[in-house]
């Protein structure tokens, strides 16, 4: 079974631009979560989608948004990029009908650098 | 908001048992506690999950006291390949909260 894939793997953007990251979950998984990882803040939960609906959301500004398609693939968008948005963005998928209680399978991440 | 804290780092030698504790003072009542392992340049990988008391699988054990305000990941007989960062993950109503991470270094 193929794992979670994320594209692109690396991205360099300029402050003020916007970016879209993509995540393809494991086949059959309907839940997709997004996380931001930085050396200073660690792993932080962005949001979670289940069957095309955002079920849960972390404490990030509205510049961070996402969506999920009918095939469970998900995209995350960050608008008006700031230097502090430089991070590793991780996507994870699970069978989960609940927020916890299901194993999450993580992708390799997208390394975003904002200059 | 749940706050989860872990020791920043731990050192061990091959063959020893390692116990890593996570304090989560405000975990949601119905949510599970999960532990993940992360190697450099990779996404976290699931180790074990539990709700209360003790859970054991082929690689680790997880101990959760009755008040659920902490949990302890136990790695029996660690090897060099267990050198990684370990995170606990708990739910807080509508969010997931990762612990601060514990960097485990295993020496020969």
């Amino acid at each position: 079974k193929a794992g979670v894939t994320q594209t692109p793997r690396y991205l360099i953007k300029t402050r003020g631009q916007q970016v879209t990251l993509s995540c393809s979950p494991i086949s059959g998984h309907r839940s997709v979560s997004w996380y931001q990882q930085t050396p200073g803040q660690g792993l932080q939960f962005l949001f979670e989608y289940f069957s095309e609906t955002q079920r849960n959301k972390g404490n990030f500004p509205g510049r961070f948004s996402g969506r999920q398609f009918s095939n469970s693939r998900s995209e995350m968008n960050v608008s008006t990029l700031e230097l502090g948005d430089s991070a590793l963005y991780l996507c994870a998928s699970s069978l989960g009908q609940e927020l916890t209680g299901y194993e999450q399978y993580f992708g390799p991440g997208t390394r975003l650098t904002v200059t | 908001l749940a706050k989860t804290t872990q020791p920043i780092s731990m050192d061990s030698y091959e063959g020893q048992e390692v116990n890593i504790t996570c304090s989560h003072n405000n975990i949601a009542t119905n949510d599970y506690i999960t532990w993940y392992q992360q190697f450099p340049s990779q996404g976290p990988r699931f180790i074990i999950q539990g709700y209360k008391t003790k859970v054991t699988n082929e690689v680790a054990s997880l101990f959760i006291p009755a008040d659920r305000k902490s949990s302890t990941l136990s790695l029996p007989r660690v090897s060099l390949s267990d050198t990684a960062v370990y995170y606990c993950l708990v739910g807080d109503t509508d969010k997931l909260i990762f612990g601060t991470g514990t960097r485990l270094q295993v020496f020969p």
Side-chain angles (χ1 to χ4, degrees):
Chain A
K1 188 184 269 191
V4 177
T5 58
Q6 293 186 245
T7 57
R9 292 292 312 279
Y10 302 91
L11 203 50
I12 300 175
K13 289 287 189 178
T14 303
R15 196 169 43 182
Q17 288 186 316
Q18 74 162 13
V19 67
T20 299
L21 312 181
S22 181
C23 172
S24 293
I26 291 173
S27 177
H29 286 190
R30 294 164 63 189
S31 170
V32 174
S33 298
W34 287 88
Y35 301 86
Q36 181 195 66
Q37 186 171 29
T38 60
Q41 299 298 318
L43 276 158
Q44 292 185 283
F45 173 71
L46 280 156
F47 30 65
E48 185 251 354
Y49 286 85
F50 184 83
S51 293
E52 302 180 66
T53 300
Q54 186 182 88
R55 286 195 304 187
N56 302 283
K57 190 176 188 302
N59 299 321
F60 278 81
R63 299 186 297 109
F64 292 82
S65 62
R67 59 178 175 169
Q68 186 180 34
F69 302 96
S70 58
N71 62 358
S72 293
R73 190 177 69 85
S74 177
E75 287 182 347
M76 191 194 98
N77 184 274
V78 187
S79 62
T80 319
L81 284 166
E82 300 177 359
L83 296 178
D85 296 333
S86 294
L88 180 68
Y89 289 89
L90 291 158
C91 159
S93 75
S94 79
L95 290 167
Q97 296 180 25
E98 302 296 333
L99 189 57
T100 66
Y102 292 85
E103 178 178 346
Q104 292 190 68
Y105 295 80
F106 283 81
T110 294
R111 173 74 61 187
L112 172 64
T113 301
V114 182
T115 62
Chain B
L1 188 67
K3 180 175 171 143
T4 57
T5 55
Q6 303 176 227
I8 294 175
S9 64
M10 298 181 72
D11 292 337
S12 183
Y13 291 95
E14 281 191 294
Q16 289 189 329
E17 178 184 74
V18 171
N19 295 307
I20 305 173
T21 297
C22 174
S23 297
H24 24 80
N25 64 341
N26 196 27
I27 182 175
T29 305
N30 298 323
D31 284 339
Y32 283 74
I33 299 160
T34 313
W35 283 80
Y36 287 85
Q37 175 192 56
Q38 188 178 28
F39 297 109
S41 303
Q42 294 184 25
R45 186 173 68 174
F46 175 89
I47 302 173
I48 196 167
Q49 178 176 260
Y51 181 76
K52 60 181 178 180
T53 63
K54 177 183 175 183
V55 179
T56 298
N57 63 18
E58 62 275 9
V59 299
S61 293
L62 178 60
F63 300 91
I64 303 169
D67 65 7
R68 298 190 355 112
K69 292 185 183 299
S70 67
S71 60
T72 299
L73 172 71
S74 181
L75 304 172
R77 299 178 298 283
V78 294
S79 64
L80 296 176
S81 63
D82 292 320
T83 293
V85 181
Y86 293 82
Y87 294 94
C88 61
L89 175 65
V90 301
D92 179 19
T93 311
D94 60 348
K95 299 178 184 55
L96 290 170
I97 311 291
F98 266 102
T100 47
T102 299
R103 186 174 301 277
L104 173 64
Q105 178 69 54
V106 180
F107 296 96

